[in-house]
């Protein structure tokens, strides 16, 4: 499916496809097994401009559009879904908001080295007692002169174990509810900031996540991103872009599973012929391919709206909802086609299934996507 991609978009897709085939796919199972961060691959992604795809070249990025980003995310995740999310957090959840809301001084310190891939960023919103209900956060930032002092904790922070800088959301005025939340750029070596041990996850195990603790962690006023009280809207608008990246990650995982199921169905014989000759298998492959293309169209639509500067909250939510749930169905059918082998760790099908599962949870669960979509539908 190639609907009016530009030459530049095709080039980035092909470059990422080649990189994923050479550098990611051959290593993905080992990284998964050992929960190993793919440091060298991430360095190479940075050199290719893929850690700040949509950031202008003057700030160290590749200056490409959101459709190119979605194409790149699908290809990279097709090779290794864990590497895909490392890239998506750097792009959508860290570099994009620092570029959009940052001053030039903040961009110089907190964006340039990230867009070029020299440093890694993370997005610290979720807390032990506030996941879906993000506005209910407990972490506070108390103003003391020209500084804020952060206290509280964040958890499941993707890229947390490796990140040099975090975009942290904290309450500066609880009486104002979500309008009392502000955003801060915090180096992970700041006094008063500590990290928990890396989380032991079911899937996307090449990517690290951990808890972050703040105890009297002081930051300068100049490290606040946007105005005081702008934090919640910054987080929500940022997630509108992030959900496109996760939807594209779900596409890549599903495509890997489909391609491998097709190859296996052509090769594996039963009852005297390749199982691809049986309608039971053909119908499964037909549904997998149809759902994958339908999801991709939703992803490209959301990315196109983002490129046009149009609000795309509902379209991003639809893309993530459908692509993530499709990804679990497709990866599960891929296991079915592989039969007993599909359930074994030696077969990549089980990894794709495990990797797909988180796409229905992070950056807003499927239930939250349905809330965002139904709110747009009811507003008309
Ligand atoms: N863009 C800009 N502003 C937005 C917005 C958007 N997309 N969505 C909401 N807002 C604004 C609203 O206009 C409203 O503004 P006013 O104060 O001016 O009225 C304000 O934000 C509050 O909006 P709501 O009343 O809709 O907010 P809510 O408290 O009911 O919550 C929610 C809405 C959709 C449930 C939201 O809390 C949400 O998205 N929750 C899920 C959080 C999430 O996705 N977490 C993921 C963590 S990050 C992660 O997973 C990273 C990783 O590991 C990879």
């Amino acid at each position: 499916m190639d609907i009016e991609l530009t030459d530049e978009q095709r080039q980035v897709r092909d470059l990422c496809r080649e990189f994923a085939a050479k550098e990611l796919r051959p290593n993905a199972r080992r990284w998964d097994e050992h929960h190993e961060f793919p440091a060298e691959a991430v360095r190479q992604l940075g050199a290719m401009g893929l850690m700040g795809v949509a950031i202008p070249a003057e700030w160290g990025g590749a200056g490409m559009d959101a459709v190119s980003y979605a194409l790149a995310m699908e290809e990279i995740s097709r090779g290794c879904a864990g590497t895909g999310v490392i890239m998506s957090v750097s792009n959508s959840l860290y570099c994009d908001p620092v570029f959009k809301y940052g001053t030039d001084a903040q961009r110089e310190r907190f964006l340039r080295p990230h867009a070029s891939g020299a440093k890694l960023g993370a997005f610290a919103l979720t807390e032990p007692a506030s996941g879906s209900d993000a506005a209910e956060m407990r972490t506070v930032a108390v103003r003391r002169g020209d500084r804020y002092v952060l206290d509280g904790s964040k958890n499941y922070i993707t890229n947390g174990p490796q990140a040099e800088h975090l975009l942290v959301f904290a309450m500066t005025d609880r009486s104002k509810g979500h309008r009392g939340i502000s955003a801060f750029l915090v180096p992970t070596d700041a006094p008063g900031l500590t990290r928990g041990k890396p989380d032991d996850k079911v899937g996307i195990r090449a990517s690290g996540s951990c808890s972050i603790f703040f105890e009297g962690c002081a930051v300068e006023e100049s490290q606040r991103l946007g105005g005081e009280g702008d934090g919640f809207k910054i987080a929500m608008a940022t997630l509108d872009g992030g959900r496109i990246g996760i939807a594209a990650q779900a596409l890549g995982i599903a495509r890997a599973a489909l391609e491998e199921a097709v190859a296996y169905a052509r090769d594996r014989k039963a009852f005297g012929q390749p199982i691809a000759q049986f309608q039971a298998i053909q119908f499964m492959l037909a549904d997998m391919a149809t759902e994958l293309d339908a999801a991709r169209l939703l992803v490209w639509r959301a990315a196109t709206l983002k490129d046009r500067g149009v609000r795309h909250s509902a379209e991003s939510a639809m893309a993530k909802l459908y692509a993530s749930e499709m990804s679990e169905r497709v990866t599960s059918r891929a296991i079915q086609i592989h039969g007993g082998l599909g359930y074994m760790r030696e077969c990549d099908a089980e990894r794709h299934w495990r990797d797909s599962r988180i796409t229905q949870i992070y950056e807003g669960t499927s239930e939250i996507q349905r809330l965002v979509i139904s709110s747009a539908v009811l507003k008309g």
Side-chain angles (χ1 to χ4, degrees):
M1 190 181 66
D2 248 26
I3 299 176
E4 291 181 44
L5 292 183
T6 63
D7 287 348
E8 186 184 71
Q9 289 164 346
R10 280 207 191 88
Q11 274 164 17
V12 72
R13 180 196 61 189
D14 295 348
L15 180 75
C16 291
R17 191 171 288 176
E18 204 180 303
F19 177 77
K22 247 172 61 189
E23 307 292 338
L24 304 180
R25 234 181 123 184
N27 296 309
R29 191 184 302 171
R30 176 171 49 82
W31 293 333
D32 170 75
E33 201 176 321
H34 301 291
H35 229 309
E36 184 182 330
F37 182 77
E40 175 55 20
V42 171
R43 192 197 62 72
Q44 287 176 274
L45 286 176
M48 289 159 70
L50 293 170
M51 296 303 271
V53 175
I55 303 303
E58 63 170 306
W59 293 107
M64 288 187 280
D65 58 14
V67 171
S68 301
Y69 170 58
L71 292 164
M73 269 301 298
E74 177 178 340
E75 296 304 329
I76 297 302
S77 304
R78 193 257 170 270
C80 171
T83 306
V85 75
I86 296 165
M87 174 180 149
S88 96
V89 168
S90 172
N91 276 275
S92 335
L93 297 191
Y94 184 84
C95 288
D96 277 4
V98 179
F99 174 66
K100 193 167 162 193
Y101 305 100
T103 61
D104 278 359
Q106 288 173 331
R107 288 170 174 177
E108 194 58 53
R109 177 174 174 200
F110 294 106
L111 175 63
R112 190 186 296 285
H114 291 263
S116 64
K119 288 185 176 169
L120 200 61
F123 181 85
L125 177 70
T126 301
E127 299 189 358
S130 74
S132 291
D133 191 1
E136 263 305 300
M137 65 181 59
R138 300 282 105 196
T139 298
V140 293
V142 177
R143 195 167 187 135
R144 300 245 163 82
D146 57 0
R147 291 177 146 206
Y148 291 88
V149 179
L150 273 72
D151 279 285
S153 64
K154 300 284 174 182
N155 65 346
Y156 310 140
I157 304 307
T158 304
N159 289 353
Q162 295 82 23
E164 279 90 359
H165 291 131
L166 306 174
L167 173 54
V168 182
F169 297 88
M171 274 288 178
T172 40
D173 186 349
R174 188 167 303 287
S175 69
K176 293 185 178 156
H178 68 260
R179 291 182 185 165
I181 294 171
S182 305
F184 299 92
L185 292 161
V186 186
T188 47
D189 60 2
L193 187 156
T194 52
R195 300 187 246 214
K197 64 177 176 27
D199 300 324
D200 189 6
K201 294 180 296 192
V202 168
I204 56 159
R205 288 164 59 86
S207 128
S209 68
C210 68
S211 296
I212 311 276
F213 304 100
F214 302 95
E215 265 185 82
C217 175
V219 298
E220 304 291 331
E221 187 180 5
S222 61
Q223 287 167 247
R224 194 188 65 226
L225 187 71
E228 201 169 279
D230 289 348
F232 191 70
K233 286 188 186 176
I234 292 176
M236 291 299 112
T238 297
L239 285 164
D240 285 346
R243 289 167 184 164
I244 299 174
I246 298 305
Q249 181 199 26
L251 295 179
I253 298 168
R255 210 178 89 228
L258 173 60
E259 288 171 4
E260 289 157 21
V262 168
Y264 186 76
R266 285 194 180 121
D267 187 55
R268 169 74 175 182
K269 291 200 176 64
F271 305 102
Q273 56 181 345
I275 60 170
Q277 300 297 324
F278 294 108
Q279 225 173 37
I281 302 294
Q282 291 167 357
F283 283 11
M284 274 198 259
L285 294 175
D287 288 345
M288 291 157 82
T290 304
E291 290 191 40
L292 182 55
D293 276 9
R296 189 178 292 109
L297 288 172
L298 286 173
V299 173
W300 287 8
R301 176 181 70 161
T304 301
L305 291 176
K306 184 169 192 283
D307 283 331
R308 289 189 192 147
V310 176
R311 173 122 179 216
H312 51 91
S313 309
E315 290 80 2
S316 290
M318 285 183 194
K320 180 176 178 300
L321 171 65
Y322 188 76
S324 61
E325 296 195 346
M326 171 283 296
S327 196
E328 189 182 3
R329 285 192 295 275
V330 166
T331 54
S332 178
R333 285 193 195 114
I335 291 179
Q336 196 69 16
I337 290 170
H338 281 85
L341 175 63
Y343 202 63
M344 298 298 136
R345 296 297 290 267
E346 71 193 81
C347 177
D348 287 340
E350 65 83 31
R351 174 167 51 84
H352 300 319
W353 184 50
R354 285 188 285 111
D355 286 346
S356 79
R357 193 61 185 81
I358 187 63
T359 63
Q360 294 172 55
I361 298 172
Y362 58 20
E363 300 203 28
T365 60
S366 284
E367 292 68 32
I368 291 297
Q369 308 313 321
R370 288 186 171 93
L371 272 185
V372 172
I373 297 162
S374 59
S375 146
V377 169
L378 289 167
K379 272 187 202 143

